[in-house]
Amino acid sequence: MENHRLLSLTMALLGFLSPCVTTLTPRVSFPVGSPGRHLTRFSSPDVSNTTTLLLSEDGDMLYVGARDAVLALDVSLKEAIVLRSKLDWSPSDKDLEECSMKGKKMADCPNFIRVLQFLNTTHIYACGTFAFSPCCTYINTESLMMSVKPDEGRGRCPYDPYQRNTAIIVDGELYTGTVADYRGNRPVISRHLSEGRRVDLKLDDTLGWLEDPTFISSSFIPDEEKIYFFFSEVGREYDFIDKFIVSRVSQICMSDVGGQRTLQRRWTTFAKAQLLCQADNELPYNVIQDIDSLPPVDGAPADDTLFYGIFTSQWSVNSGQSAVCSFRLSDIKSVFSGNYKVLNRDTLQWSTRVQEKVANPGECGLHNASDNALRFVKENFLADDSVRPVGRSLTMVSTEHNYSHLTVQRVQAANNRDYTVLFLLTESGYLNKVVLLQSGAHIIEEIQVFEKPQPVKSLKLSIPKGMIYVGTSEGVVRVPTANCSFYWTCAQCVLSRDPFCGWDPASRACVETSSTQTSLGQDIDRGNVEEACFTLTHRARFGPNNLPAGELVSVSLNEVVRLQCPAASRLSRQLWERPNSRLSSDLYLHLEDGSLSFVATPATLGHYLCLSTENGYQQTMAIYHVKQKSSPVPQTPTSYSRPQSPPIPTTRADRPGVHTSVDPKRTETRQTETEPTPTSGDTRVTTRQLGRNFTTLWTVGSGQKEAELRDGEPLLSSRGPSYLKELVIVSVLLVLCLSLLITMFLYVARQRCRSRTAPQSGTPSRDSDRRTPVEQEALRGNQFMSKRNGQALHSGQASGLVCNGALTGSNGHLPNTPI
């Protein structure tokens, strides 16, 4: 109990010591179906769970392991993925019935293909769960037909389709990490398909070499002749807490053939060590999710091989965060060549006491060692030290996404420098493209691959073809690694900081980098537009000229105007400017989406510029000229300062709607702009009259065109909430309610007045009885004259009240009539 409390306190203190994680925002985001990011999809109504991918060496054929089927997809075409052949491989009705009788759900009883590896140039070795009775077979790559009858796959493929496994074939032999029993309680790392004097090997089951592992990946290092397995398991060396998860790397030698007496048909070279994805004074990210290897550059030793992995944490302090760590092969080898922990046979507890080495665990060639040496390596297989990440720091941390899979690539930029690019797949269906810089990770873009979260996913990278294949439960999606044509200007191409892309001054386009093009505009490390673009476009070519007239917005005085400002990217910041005027907070409202709102007055008419600022570079995104609709006094054209020094053009001639940028750093000579001529179709203004002297204006039309790109993709901007529509609706309802109440009040007053003053038919009133005949005759004459002359007396002109045509005084009698 004390140990538990001490651990909780330690974790809490480490949580407070952890520095604030910098939020990583993707510069550009592409939703599903966006024309700015072309994706190719394959799906079929009779195919599902296409999650196991195998890519041919030339990258033209993709083999897919699905539910009850193996597919051969032709991916050589640019615009489509074509199904070339399909192998149906499903359990019989009897197999399904037996699976159901074992207490399994029928949805889990089909044959889910979990192993798909090239055996040689003509055949594929495939294994499936096959109704919780794993089976394996050989498949011809040309005909996609089985060469032999399927045989048992126990120890090669998991029983449960939801259990993770790993498999790799080297020199015709299959190395797997999976479970070897129906209940999943016997994890095993084994070798199969051995021939001649070589025998199949597996781990010894007596000492618990694996503790409830989750296998992630396996990798072959040719120079070492070793296979490395990556997995997570329960760390029994941390006995002061239950179910403490640790990430592991283990190794076995390909030359291992087992011991002669001790460890017969068992590994003699198995060793494992902890992968510690942790920065100083921070909690560790202890659960590995995926890992991929990055081979060294040409001419570098194999020890420079890097392994990039995704890690999450089981601690609530880091809940919802994902970290990426990289490990160097030389560091892994150093840990395996060091000291090992000692396992007590009686208590099964680990200790770190120093002991004399009888043999070096993990060393190749121990199959001829003595029984004493083999017993030593059998009990001492856990390295004492942990493998630390490169630089003892995290490669990147994301607080917004839970990453599940990754693949890594080294890209040579235009300056001949190598940059590491990560492709990270999130659980919510986004693929993040990240470049690793000295200043930290930079997310170039995020691509929504699928809308609904998928249960099982996999990534396969084709470097020669420049494609990434994502396997989901609903189909296969192909994503190009480069998207250079999306960046329509030199500034946008440079600001993307994409090693795949550079600005070609000859074609005036953002193109993919290659070894033949060395004069491309590119700045991956700093993203400096002025150095990369001004030098290439020769500033002297662009002489001073007038500012574009911009979009004409016709308004009436006292109208509410809202001017939209598209954002160049999610990392940009929008600013508004007026020539020779300051945007006072008393008159102008800057909204969250970057737009500007104000009331149209003589002081607010004129030109408005929307500027986008990113990484120290400014460009004009929109220009508006707000003008009164019809004013008896002509408006004086508004002058705007134009720099004499040549600006950077941010649009090509074939991209209408995107204005030329202005360099904000140079403000010398100002020129007067002529009044723009409005044309039909330039703008559509919607005006609505509400009550007295209250008009709202919403500018649309060509202002939206400012946000369009050449391919129809709108520029991205963060949309904030707008309550103008709600305000208008509430105001209308309020006016209607007040009008109804006033009408009802007047009607009731009129009825009461009529009932008080109207004469009763057939019955003379008391007043008429008191009047003399002369008075009655005079009253009738007065009424006759009033009707004849068409006079109408109002309450504001006399002290009486007009009710139903009768005139009464304040005392209820006729005026000038004696009481």
Side-chain angles (χ1 to χ4, degrees):
M1 180 62 74
E2 291 298 331
N3 289 333
H4 284 273
R5 292 178 179 176
L6 180 59
L7 178 66
S8 301
L9 181 59
T10 303
M11 295 302 175
L13 291 176
L14 285 176
F16 284 114
L17 291 174
S18 299
C20 296
V21 179
T22 303
T23 302
L24 295 177
T25 302
R27 184 179 181 273
V28 183
S29 182
F30 297 98
V32 170
S34 172
R37 203 59 161 96
H38 180 67
L39 307 181
T40 308
R41 300 177 183 273
F42 168 81
S43 61
S44 179
D46 58 342
V47 176
S48 62
N49 291 90
T50 52
T51 57
T52 305
L53 305 181
L54 178 65
L55 191 64
S56 63
E57 187 176 355
D58 58 6
D60 290 337
M61 192 69 67
L62 181 69
Y63 299 94
V64 181
R67 185 180 69 176
D68 295 335
V70 177
L71 312 177
L73 302 180
D74 186 356
V75 294
S76 61
L77 302 178
K78 185 177 181 180
E79 298 297 330
I81 299 177
V82 181
L83 175 62
R84 291 300 182 193
S85 53
K86 176 184 176 183
L87 170 64
D88 292 319
W89 185 17
S90 58
S92 63
D93 294 339
K94 181 180 179 181
D95 295 328
L96 295 175
E97 183 179 356
E98 291 179 355
C99 177
S100 178
M101 292 179 62
K102 294 177 183 178
K104 301 300 179 180
K105 298 179 181 178
M106 288 301 296
D108 300 336
C109 289
N111 184 25
F112 295 89
I113 311 301
R114 299 303 304 275
V115 175
L116 206 62
Q117 291 288 319
F118 284 112
L119 183 67
N120 48 42
T121 57
T122 60
H123 285 80
I124 292 175
Y125 191 75
C127 299
T129 59
F130 209 82
F132 279 79
S133 297
C135 290
C136 297
T137 187
Y138 298 89
I139 301 175
N140 187 285
T141 56
E142 293 294 332
S143 61
L144 208 69
M145 299 293 292
M146 293 185 186
S147 299
V148 296
K149 184 179 179 181
D151 58 355
E152 183 181 5
R154 183 177 60 179
R156 310 178 188 187
C157 177
Y159 288 74
D160 193 326
Y162 299 104
Q163 283 181 331
R164 298 193 65 172
N165 69 300
T166 181
I168 186 173
I169 289 182
V170 181
D171 294 340
E173 295 177 320
L174 176 69
Y175 298 84
T176 64
T178 184
V179 292
D181 68 327
Y182 175 81
R183 293 182 175 84
N185 296 327
R186 290 179 55 197
V188 62
I189 293 177
S190 55
R191 183 176 69 196
H192 303 272
L193 309 180
S194 300
E195 295 179 351
R197 299 182 60 182
R198 295 173 63 84
V199 295
D200 291 348
L201 299 178
K202 63 179 181 178
L203 289 180
D204 189 273
D205 300 331
T206 58
L207 291 178
W209 284 9
L210 297 174
E211 299 287 350
D212 193 17
T214 299
F215 292 101
I216 301 299
S217 178
S218 53
S219 180
F220 169 57
I221 306 298
D223 292 353
E224 299 290 325
E225 291 191 352
K226 291 181 179 181
I227 308 292
Y228 290 92
F229 291 87
F230 299 90
F231 55 94
S232 61
E233 66 173 354
V234 177
R236 295 299 182 189
E237 67 269 30
Y238 300 101
D239 57 351
F240 52 84
I241 184 172
D242 295 334
K243 298 291 184 179
F244 182 78
I245 307 299
V246 295
S247 297
R248 302 286 199 199
V249 55
S250 67
Q251 64 152 43
I252 52 100
C253 294
M254 294 178 56
S255 60
D256 197 343
V257 293
Q260 296 179 357
R261 289 177 296 274
T262 303
L263 294 178
Q264 288 186 4
R265 293 184 177 271
R266 300 293 187 267
W267 294 109
T268 63
T269 58
F270 174 80
K272 66 180 181 180
Q274 180 179 359
L275 288 174
L276 194 57
C277 182
Q278 179 186 24
D280 293 337
N281 299 326
E282 291 188 21
L283 285 173
Y285 293 85
N286 56 324
V287 184
I288 188 172
Q289 301 294 330
D290 196 17
I291 199 163
D292 192 21
S293 62
L294 182 65
V297 296
D298 294 338
D303 285 356
D304 289 341
T305 302
L306 294 176
F307 298 94
Y308 285 87
I310 298 174
F311 295 82
T312 57
S313 176
Q314 72 179 114
W315 313 111
S316 59
V317 176
N318 293 336
S319 177
Q321 299 182 10
S322 294
V324 176
C325 283
S326 61
F327 303 91
R328 197 179 303 274
L329 178 60
S330 59
D331 296 332
I332 297 177
K333 292 172 59 178
S334 176
V335 170
F336 280 135
S337 62
N339 296 325
Y340 281 74
K341 297 181 184 296
V342 179
L343 179 64
N344 188 315
R345 292 184 177 182
D346 299 329
T347 62
L348 295 180
Q349 300 294 318
W350 292 94
S351 63
T352 58
R353 73 173 187 269
V354 179
Q355 61 177 347
E356 181 182 356
K357 275 190 176 182
V358 180
N360 292 323
E363 182 181 359
C364 298
L366 292 177
H367 51 277
N368 292 325
S370 63
D371 292 344
N372 187 31
L374 291 180
R375 281 193 294 269
F376 179 85
V377 299
K378 178 181 178 180
E379 299 174 1
N380 301 271
F381 52 85
L382 178 60
D384 186 31
D385 199 4
S386 299
V387 182
R388 300 276 179 171
V390 175
R392 299 256 174 162
S393 62
L394 309 181
T395 302
M396 65 173 290
V397 178
S398 175
T399 59
E400 296 82 14
H401 302 291
N402 285 326
Y403 293 122
S404 60
H405 291 77
L406 91 161
T407 185
V408 59
Q409 179 181 356
R410 182 180 289 107
V411 182
Q412 188 177 67
N415 57 1
N416 294 327
R417 288 186 55 187
D418 291 329
Y419 293 88
T420 301
V421 178
L422 302 176
F423 297 93
L424 303 167
L425 185 65
T426 70
E427 293 182 351
S428 58
Y430 283 86
L431 183 66
N432 287 5
K433 179 179 175 181
V434 182
V435 59
L436 301 181
L437 308 174
Q438 292 183 353
S439 58
H442 169 67
I443 304 181
I444 301 172
E445 59 182 351
E446 68 172 1
I447 309 152
Q448 188 176 10
V449 181
F450 42 86
E451 294 183 359
K452 298 179 181 179
Q454 307 295 324
V456 182
K457 300 169 282 290
S458 57
L459 287 181
K460 188 66 67 173
L461 172 64
S462 174
I463 295 179
K465 298 293 184 179
M467 295 292 175
I468 294 177
Y469 298 92
V470 183
T472 74
S473 61
E474 298 178 354
V476 178
V477 182
R478 181 173 62 187
V479 184
T481 57
N483 190 33
C484 303
S485 60
F486 172 76
Y487 306 110
W488 69 101
T489 67
C490 179
Q492 291 299 316
C493 188
V494 173
L495 288 172
S496 69
R497 305 170 81 170
D498 190 340
F500 288 95
C501 303
W503 182 260
D504 183 13
S507 61
R508 296 187 57 78
C510 193
V511 298
E512 292 190 37
T513 57
S514 63
S515 58
T516 59
Q517 292 177 312
T518 57
S519 60
L520 298 180
Q522 193 183 62
D523 190 352
I524 307 302
D525 294 299
R526 297 180 301 163
N528 192 315
V529 175
E530 292 190 2
E531 291 186 4
C533 292
F534 272 96
T535 304
L536 295 173
T537 54
H538 304 295
R539 292 168 53 183
R541 291 176 52 191
F542 303 99
N545 48 39
N546 292 331
L547 183 72
E551 176 188 349
L552 178 63
V553 180
S554 300
V555 300
S556 299
L557 295 182
N558 299 326
E559 291 184 350
V560 178
V561 183
R562 181 175 179 180
L563 303 180
Q564 299 288 344
C565 182
S569 74
R570 296 179 64 182
L571 299 181
S572 64
R573 185 169 56 93
Q574 293 132 300
L575 303 174
W576 286 91
E577 287 187 1
R578 287 199 65 189
N580 306 323
S581 179
R582 185 176 64 89
L583 299 181
S584 173
S585 59
D586 297 336
L587 300 178
Y588 298 94
L589 181 61
H590 296 265
L591 303 181
E592 293 183 359
D593 63 350
S595 60
L596 184 69
S597 181
F598 57 91
V599 176
T601 64
T604 58
L605 298 178
H607 278 88
Y608 291 86
L609 278 82
C610 166
L611 303 176
S612 177
T613 302
E614 181 180 355
N615 199 26
Y617 174 75
Q618 282 190 346
Q619 58 180 326
T620 301
M621 302 303 299
I623 303 176
Y624 297 96
H625 184 197
V626 181
K627 182 181 178 182
Q628 188 175 352
K629 281 184 178 179
S630 57
S631 176
V633 180
Q635 297 291 328
T636 304
T638 306
S639 62
Y640 173 74
S641 60
R642 174 79 178 181
Q644 283 189 343
S645 57
I648 305 174
T650 61
T651 178
R652 295 169 56 190
D654 58 346
R655 295 189 183 270
V658 182
H659 295 291
T660 303
S661 70
V662 178
D663 185 5
K665 299 182 179 179
R666 300 173 176 86
T667 55
E668 291 98 0
T669 305
R670 300 181 179 271
Q671 297 181 355
T672 302
E673 180 193 5
T674 58
E675 197 66 24
T677 303
T679 58
S680 59
D682 283 344
T683 180
R684 299 193 304 274
V685 181
T686 303
T687 308
R688 180 178 299 173
Q689 187 74 23
L690 300 174
R692 176 181 294 180
N693 295 331
F694 182 81
T695 307
T696 181
L697 175 72
W698 189 286
T699 58
V700 296
S702 60
Q704 295 175 347
K705 295 181 181 179
E706 296 292 332
E708 296 182 359
L709 305 178
R710 180 172 62 182
D711 54 8
E713 175 67 10
L715 287 173
L716 304 170
S717 62
S718 57
R719 299 291 180 189
S722 175
Y723 304 102
L724 182 59
K725 183 177 180 180
E726 288 79 357
L727 178 61
V728 171
I729 295 175
V730 173
S731 302
V732 171
L733 294 176
L734 181 60
V735 171
L736 292 177
C737 292
L738 291 176
S739 302
L740 181 61
L741 290 175
I742 294 174
T743 304
M744 294 177 61
F745 176 76
L746 293 177
Y747 177 76
V748 172
R750 183 181 180 88
Q751 290 298 329
R752 290 182 178 179
C753 187
R754 179 183 296 176
S755 63
R756 291 172 54 188
T757 59
Q760 302 293 329
S761 60
T763 305
S765 63
R766 294 180 181 179
D767 292 338
S768 62
D769 293 341
R770 294 179 182 178
R771 298 185 185 113
T772 62
V774 178
E775 291 175 338
Q776 295 180 6
E777 185 66 24
L779 177 60
R780 285 193 296 269
N782 189 22
Q783 292 176 346
F784 174 77
M785 291 300 295
S786 299
K787 292 179 180 180
R788 182 176 181 181
N789 295 334
Q791 296 175 351
L793 299 178
H794 299 278
S795 60
Q797 298 174 352
S799 61
L801 175 67
V802 178
C803 291
N804 199 21
L807 182 63
T808 63
S810 59
N811 54 7
H813 296 276
L814 291 172
N816 301 325
T817 303
I819 299 176

